[in-house]
Amino acid sequence: MGERFVVVPVDRGVGVAGSVREPSDAVVADPGSDSGGSSGTVEEKEAGEDFVFEQQEDPDAVVPILKYNREPNKYGDGVPKENSPFINNTDNDKGNYDGTNMALFEDEIEINPMVSSLLNKLANYTNLTQGAQEHEEADNDEGPKKKEVKSPQMGTFMGVYLPCLQNILGVILFLRLTWIVGSAGILESLAIVCLCCSCTMLTAISMSAIATNGVVPAGGSYYMISRSLGPEFGGAVGLCFYLGTTFAGSMYILGTIEILLTYIVPKAAIFVAEKKEDEVNALLNNMRVYGTCCLALMSVVVFVGVKYVNKLALVFLACVILSILAIYAGVMKTIFDPPDFPVCMLGNRTLQNHNFDSCLKTEIINNVTVTTKLWKLFCNGPELNATCNDYFLLNNVTKVQGIPGLRSGVISENMWSMYGPLGKLVDDKKLESVEGGDPTQDKYLPYVFNDITTFFTLMVGIYFPSVTGIMAGSNRSGDLRDAQKSIPIGTILAIATTSFIYVTCVVLFGACIEGVLLRDKFGDAVKGNLVIGTLSWPSPWVIVIGSFFSCCGAGLQSLTGAPRLLQAIARDGIVPFLQVFGHGKANGEPTWALLLTAGICEIGILIASLDAVAPILSMFFLMCYLFVNLACALQTLLRTPNWRPRFKYYHWALSFLGMSLCLALMFICSWYYAIVAMAIATCIYKYIEYRGAEKEWGDGIRGLSLNAARYALIRLEEAPPHTKNWRPQVLVLLNLDSDQAVKHPRLLSLTTQLKAGKGLTIVGNVLEGTYLTKDAEARKAEQNIKSAMSEERTKGFCHVVVSSNLRDGVSHLIQSAGLGGMKHNTILMAWPGTWRQANDPQSWKNFIETVRESTAAHHALLVAKNVDSFPTNLDRLGEGTIDVWWVVHDGGMLMLLPFLLRQHKVWRKCKMRIFTVAQMDDNSIQMKKDLQMFLYHLRLNAEVEVVEMHDNDISAFTYEKTLVMEQRSQMLKQMQLSRTEREREIQSITDESRNSIRRKNPGAAPSTTRSRPSSMTEDNQEDEAQLIHDRNTASHTTINDKAEAGPDRVHMTWTKDKLFMERNRNRECNANVAVRDLFNMKPEWESLNQSNVRRMHTAVKLNEVVVNKSQGAQLVLLNMPGPPRNRGGDENYMEFLEVLLEGLNRVLMVRGGGREVITIYS
């Protein structure tokens, strides 16, 4: 929930800073709500601020006092974390320091508060519910005048114990408990009571631990669950708890109408059954009509004045207590004077005593035998010779005392269950009966029937709502003087008290009331009296009136609490479509939430049956209690540092037992209702997960995820993954531009298509500089990368490293990215397409060093050329092929990657083709058969083709390519020229070479000669050392521009004078000689390095074959040659790869990591 602090001006006690001030009561509430509020002396600043100040012109007039206002921010919760008076809200402390005793901490005070200031804020902290006013209160607030807010003063008895009693004891006790005892028997009824009360007691223990682990603002169970289990569980269970509270309102309203129409004014019924079989439907229709009217009336009362509901709560509670006392008094009276409530029995069948006065077939009046009204109900006339029901004629009519009393011994008869199907006659087995008549006609006769099929699990579902309401105390936490002390004591005592009441009532009902009357749900056998009322003293009307007002009060409380719970969920912002219900009237009343609550409540009223609505709300309450227990168990097992409840009498085993009991009761009550409730909660959970606002509440699910991740990482590190479990765990090396934007977002698309959301993905980037100076840029880069990952649907982690140079940063990423067993095994990067034109020659050197380091680390390497032309995740490639050029065995990477790509819908329609290269002495036919068999065992579908490469003579084009490459390499090594001069000299050398080649015989093959003279190599090394030294010295102030020093480079130590002297001498003499020798050099083929010629020949020939076969392919995968072992040929390596990839659009070069990644075994 959004929270804010409001600072209000009060009179200064003493003018000296740091002195003790007199306490003041002039602290005001901020009545503003989401839709506005009265404005006063405190002005609200911009949205999202937690402290609100008003600048005072006179510094001696007032001093600001901090008040913590728990009312949701009217602008919504814009901060993903809970605001708190303990964290980072210290703006008002700045500038308040004027002493010298703490001068050592002068700089710290600017960002951290003094302890005295923090303690002052904690002392003034309150979680009092504020913001809801009545109309008359709002009208009295004229101008800046505000109503004083009194500190919460309610104790354990008034604040927790009595509200819990009022919510727990209610409609089921008065209307259904006797029927449950009669149907289930005393033993099974005690089992039901103990089962349900144990569930609520265990839940209360877990709730007490959570409620005493810090301050619980209003919102009660929803707040506890959401902050303990996270927004997804909190929202799902919060809405279920809201639905349960709403359906509880329906149940209480239905109970109110049932008491009204059945026991108070039966003649007020609108629908009257003409036939006996229509009585049930008539009753349901009356319930619907009167229930709707009652709901409308209660909604208007709640809308107009909540304070009247709260004031009447004590009256309703008094009615409940008086009714229970009347029951116990009536039980005591039955010991010496049982009440006279006879039950008329025909044979062993119970009769409805509505339409006859005497329980006789005939009676003698003036010595004349006449028939009674009972006779007329079973015969077709009043005559003695009339045709009557056979069973009526064969059996006698007897009277049974409905309340025989405690000393009657009826307890032994009521010990066992008497379940039956719908329409079963309520009978007494100990009475004699002669069967006769047509059983199908019994439903038209005045017998007492079962109106529903009875069984144990149904009784559990109907009874469980009578033990709900245990969270009434935690919902009032804002009104309690000491919530952490009152909530556990008051709640547990209330549950113990009500459990004692229910257990004793079960035993006493079974010991005092005849079984047939217990099973008579509506009291038809005792002239329509409430069965529990027949037991009470001094009159049945005490129970009738008391239960009526009790149900009215409980319904009003439900219609008051449910909209506020929905408003709290809406204002948290975790369920987007509920945002509108966070708004209300100017005084904070949740108008829209009340309308929705009334609409849902009407659904329960249209069901019209109390017995059908009770299991529905049981499901929602049980789910809520289940997650309260789960939250306590998780927090206890995880042992998070913040888990320090003051209530110590809890244990994770008790919480798990309570959770298991709740889950069992859900399926015991009604398995299909349980499935529906869980499905609703799951849908809400998934909706919040995908569409809801991100919140960080420090919940237990996050802690559970951390513990599970730690356990899994430790298990993963025990042994390397098996080949069957191997999948690419990719480290993506991204490049960013000067604005920290991603250069190649298609690289992320390729990652998504390759991974399909499985495995590990780490997106890395390196910023050059120091972390202290590049901190802001690193955060911006990380945010941009995460945004790009979100757009490309790449699920993974982002890792931005700040390093003194790019090379070291990439090396750090390769070495340290990942954690434990979740480390990358594959590196994906883009081909440096502009390496020839790069300003910094380190760009291609970094690329080659990355290739070397991936090989050394045994990581696979994927290099994508023309990555910007790769398809996006929204593209769908139609016809086309993925061509694999398998030249060197790399552990099966070339086979596995196309299979993984084709799992994604972008590449799904592409076919896979595999090409392999055969030499002259290879049997290409046998190679093709072997490759097809290998693919068959790998379960891969692909076309196979073997390409033969003959040993042709090296062409002039190859020599030309090699010559240009070597001359460029020599020139870049020997000359220290500006970029413009370098490009000009390269062009001139290239032109000279082309002219020389044209003059020579193109068909003549050059003779093999040895490489350059060793003297030239030595000179080159010396020149290279000098060039490196000059470059390092010129840029020694900029650490980012230092060049990497290889092991064969010469490092010298220079004085300042010697430095300048040697530099000038080299530039004037050696450089001129080098330039002159270079321009006079004859680019003869014989002087070329034959190893480079052979490599270039391979690149040219293989490129010709690949272009010929795969130029139209959607993607080409081929082995990536390794870099030379001698670092002197690095620039030649780049040329070889460039020639190899020439003319191909989408290319993915693959270099294996040195292990098998695909297997033929299962």
Side-chain angles (χ1 to χ4, degrees), residues 522-536:
F522 301 107
D524 292 324
V526 286
K527 297 185 178 296
N529 280 300
L530 184 62
V531 174
I532 195 174
T534 61
L535 182 63
S536 64

Side-chain angles (χ1 to χ4, degrees), residues 1116-1130:
V1116 176
L1117 289 86
L1118 76 163
N1119 291 108
M1120 180 179 182
R1125 294 172 182 168
N1126 180 14
R1127 296 177 185 271
D1130 285 355

Side-chain angles (χ1 to χ4, degrees), residues 497-657:
T497 303
T498 54
S499 299
F500 173 78
I501 291 173
Y502 283 130
V503 169
T504 55
C505 283
V506 166
V507 175
L508 294 176
F509 291 166
C512 295
I513 305 175
E514 183 64 41
V516 290
L517 183 57
L518 285 174
R519 296 196 299 277
D520 184 6
K521 182 187 292 186
F522 301 107
D524 292 324
V526 286
K527 297 185 178 296
N529 280 300
L530 184 62
V531 174
I532 195 174
T534 61
L535 182 63
S536 64
W537 180 86
S539 169
W541 286 101
V542 175
I543 298 291
V544 173
I545 301 301
S547 59
F548 177 78
F549 284 111
S550 172
C551 292
C552 286
L556 286 171
Q557 292 287 349
S558 297
L559 289 179
T560 304
R564 280 159 178 75
L565 178 60
L566 181 62
Q567 187 182 46
I569 299 172
R571 285 182 170 179
D572 259 352
I574 59 175
V575 185
F577 70 84
L578 291 180
Q579 295 278 349
V580 65
F581 299 107
H583 305 289
K585 295 190 294 186
N587 61 351
E589 287 299 314
T591 308
W592 295 106
L594 178 60
L595 289 176
L596 179 64
T597 302
I600 298 175
C601 195
E602 178 64 19
I603 296 175
I605 290 174
L606 292 178
I607 296 175
S609 173
L610 184 69
D611 302 322
V613 173
I616 297 176
L617 65 99
S618 295
M619 292 301 108
F620 294 122
F621 278 120
L622 280 168
M623 183 169 291
C624 178
Y625 297 164
L626 183 150
F627 281 100
V628 169
N629 286 292
L630 175 62
C632 180
L634 277 182
Q635 298 281 21
T636 306
L637 290 176
L638 294 176
R639 298 179 182 177
T640 53
N642 191 53
W643 180 246
R644 302 184 301 275
R646 292 187 179 276
F647 181 78
K648 301 299 182 183
Y649 305 101
Y650 69 93
H651 193 270
W652 63 267
L654 293 177
S655 299
F656 268 116
L657 179 60

Side-chain angles (χ1 to χ4, degrees), residues 27-39:
V27 182
V28 300
D30 176 23
S33 66
D34 56 332
S35 60
S38 58
S39 60

